[in-house]
Amino acid sequence: MKIHHIASPAPSHAPQPPLAERASSPLRMPDRYHRCPECDAFFALPALKRNQTANCPRCDAKVSSGRDWPISRLAAMAAAMLVLMPFAFTEPLISIRLLGVTIHASLFEGIWQITRQGHPVTASMVAFCTVGAPLTLVFSLLYLFFAPRIGMNRRPILLILHRLKEWMMLDIYLVGMAVAAIKVREFAEVQVGIGLVAYLALTTLSVLTLIHLNTDQLWQRFYPRLKPLMTPNRYRVCLACHFTSAPDHLGRCPRCHLPLRLRQRQSLQKSWAALIASVILLIPANLLPISIIYVNGVRTEDTIFSGILSLASGNIPVALVVFIASILVPFTKVIILFWLLVSIHIRTENRLMLRMSMLRITRWIGRWSMLDLFVIALTMSLVNRDQLLAFTMGPAAFYFGAAVILTILAVEWLDSRLMWDNNAR
């Protein structure tokens, strides 16, 4: 849907220019003024139908969607997911037959094996992305359904839902399951576990819920837009709830009650810190062994790259997927983030749309780097030191997982509006 651009924002330290002709379009209603959270453009946001989305007229960021499931339907999806979770998390997903013995692999078993072998922090990374985040989604939706009936505050839950999507990785774990099955197929016969059906259903329901979860509509339903408090061209956009308004008397967003600032505080410092830390961690992550395999008492260590090479000898397409997720994506994110941060410091004005596209791509692909940890977790639950074939986690796994999380945070902490401020100057 086409959005009417009202005025180009000035830098954060300069006064805003006057609005364009407000009465020239029937879509420009005072309570629909909106600032883009990615470039700070100021425009009038029209009412949307269910099949429509609204993009920023300047940076083309998606700012609103008409897609809106009622909270009752979202709660029903959450209840269905809650019923499926015990079966999807505890029942065998895949199984192998080794020397006449059937060994099962479940999600919980993989997390427990990582913890038992002395890697509780790495296990917590896997647990949060595959168990913690889905459970948070389920209980948050159920809370929103019952909260109005008992007068509970819904703001913290809505703020959590806004940031939750990037940490939901059930779909990536499913791909990791396929990779793990291919890796152990050369040693033993692989069979489908009875919990796989429940896991597939859980993944499908979670993806559908996230697609139709419109946090902006939920905010408007529970906390309707307030009347304008001052001249609209002095409005700011809240990065937490995407509400465009003036700060209240305490300097907070009138809707979510978080501090409402012109720009995210210490954005560059936090992004640089996370990026530099991730680069440091990627060095041992790629040099140290990430997995250790025992076959008939013979120890074989694999780094990320050597593991991909051994996988390529049997299945090149799968090895390519792992290479993209484990090597290409992390280093590409580092290069792109470095470029974006430097461009802000040297006040580069050209190629703004290209830089915005790179930032969005980096945000989207960042979560897929967790694939290698999921493969290791599943493989560890299939084989252990009591078998002739044993598999254990190497020291690189912790460094790799920490680097992936830090790059995700570096992207989230970067306030892209700083790039547009340079252009305005």
Side-chain angles (χ1 to χ4, degrees):
M1 168 168 284
K2 183 178 180 181
I3 305 299
H4 296 266
H5 191 188
I6 293 180
S8 298
S12 58
H13 59 272
Q16 294 287 354
L19 292 176
E21 299 176 3
R22 293 169 52 186
S24 60
S25 171
L27 296 176
R28 295 176 183 175
M29 301 296 292
D31 60 338
R32 298 300 294 170
Y33 285 135
H34 192 81
R35 282 200 181 278
C36 175
E38 295 192 19
C39 74
D40 211 33
F42 194 31
F43 50 84
L45 186 63
L48 301 176
K49 297 180 181 179
R50 289 185 178 273
N51 60 343
Q52 292 180 319
T53 58
N55 286 27
C56 173
R58 184 163 70 164
C59 72
D60 201 37
K62 182 179 176 181
V63 295
S64 186
S65 172
R67 183 184 291 116
D68 181 27
W69 272 9
I71 188 61
S72 57
R73 184 179 300 181
L74 292 172
M77 296 287 282
M81 286 190 285
L82 189 61
V83 172
L84 289 170
M85 280 179 177
F87 304 99
F89 292 161
T90 61
E91 294 297 326
L93 300 173
I94 55 177
S95 306
I96 64 170
R97 288 190 61 81
L98 184 64
L99 300 177
V101 178
T102 301
I103 306 172
H104 304 292
S106 67
L107 195 152
F108 274 179
E109 180 64 22
I111 295 172
W112 166 243
Q113 287 293 335
I114 297 175
T115 305
R116 189 175 66 87
Q117 293 189 15
H119 305 279
V121 178
T122 309
S124 66
M125 299 179 192
V126 177
F128 174 73
C129 298
T130 57
V131 179
L135 280 174
T136 303
L137 174 66
V138 166
F139 287 116
S140 295
L141 293 176
L142 292 175
Y143 179 91
L144 290 178
F145 179 74
F146 290 107
R149 295 162 174 77
I150 55 179
M152 298 294 289
N153 183 15
R154 285 143 284 177
R155 288 185 177 90
I157 302 302
L158 291 170
L159 291 172
I160 289 174
L161 287 176
H162 180 68
R163 300 292 186 185
L164 192 61
K165 181 179 294 187
E166 61 191 309
W167 301 103
M168 290 277 294
M169 301 186 187
L170 291 175
D171 51 343
I172 301 175
Y173 193 88
L174 186 62
V175 177
M177 195 185 309
V179 175
I182 292 172
K183 289 186 69 172
V184 301
R185 189 175 58 184
E186 58 182 292
F187 302 108
E189 177 187 355
V190 180
Q191 300 173 340
V192 175
I194 59 176
L196 184 59
V197 175
Y199 187 88
L200 288 172
L202 174 63
T203 303
T204 303
L205 290 179
S206 66
V207 171
L208 288 175
T209 302
L210 291 174
I211 290 175
H212 292 89
L213 178 62
N214 191 334
T215 53
D216 185 57
Q217 294 287 355
L218 291 175
W219 274 109
Q220 292 188 46
R221 182 178 296 118
F222 295 128
Y223 300 98
R225 289 180 180 269
L226 307 176
K227 294 181 179 180
L229 300 178
M230 61 171 63
T231 306
N233 63 339
R234 297 177 60 189
Y235 282 2
R236 304 175 187 175
V237 61
C238 176
L239 295 185
C241 70
H242 289 183
F243 180 49
T244 299
S245 181
D248 62 13
H249 65 286
L250 296 177
R252 305 175 307 175
C253 170
R255 188 161 73 172
C256 69
H257 293 172
L258 291 184
L260 187 58
R261 301 185 175 94
L262 285 172
R263 295 294 179 264
Q264 188 174 342
R265 179 174 290 181
Q266 297 177 338
S267 169
L268 293 178
Q269 293 89 332
K270 292 189 291 185
S271 292
W272 271 118
L275 178 60
I276 293 171
S278 66
V279 171
I280 295 173
L281 291 172
L282 280 174
I283 296 174
N286 285 272
L287 296 180
L288 296 176
I290 196 169
S291 62
I292 303 170
I293 304 175
Y294 294 86
V295 181
N296 295 325
V298 179
R299 175 187 172 112
T300 304
E301 296 182 350
D302 272 326
T303 62
I304 295 176
F305 188 71
S306 65
I308 293 172
L309 291 179
S310 80
L311 189 60
S313 61
N315 197 311
I316 293 179
V318 174
L320 184 61
V321 171
V322 178
F323 171 78
I324 292 173
S326 301
I327 293 182
L328 186 61
V329 168
F331 284 99
T332 302
K333 287 192 300 181
V334 167
I335 294 171
I336 292 175
L337 281 170
F338 181 81
W339 172 44
L340 294 177
L341 289 169
V342 170
S343 71
I344 294 174
H345 280 287
I346 65 177
R347 299 185 177 180
T348 302
E349 299 179 8
N350 58 349
R351 299 182 180 178
L352 267 172
M353 290 303 298
L354 175 61
R355 282 183 281 156
M356 291 299 297
S357 299
M358 290 296 100
L359 180 61
R360 291 165 190 155
I361 292 173
T362 305
R363 183 180 293 117
W364 182 80
I365 65 174
R367 53 200 291 272
W368 283 92
S369 297
M370 293 294 290
L371 177 65
D372 228 6
L373 284 187
F374 297 159
V375 172
I376 293 173
L378 270 165
T379 309
M380 288 180 67
S381 63
L382 282 172
V383 288
N384 54 61
R385 293 181 184 274
D386 296 330
Q387 307 294 332
L388 293 178
L389 172 65
F391 184 92
T392 186
M393 176 177 288
F398 164 75
Y399 299 109
F400 182 76
V404 171
I405 292 175
L406 283 171
T407 53
I408 294 176
L409 293 175
V411 174
E412 287 303 308
W413 287 335
L414 178 59
D415 192 342
S416 60
R417 297 174 297 177
L418 297 172
M419 292 188 288
W420 295 88
D421 289 344
N422 289 335
N423 185 65
R425 292 191 185 96

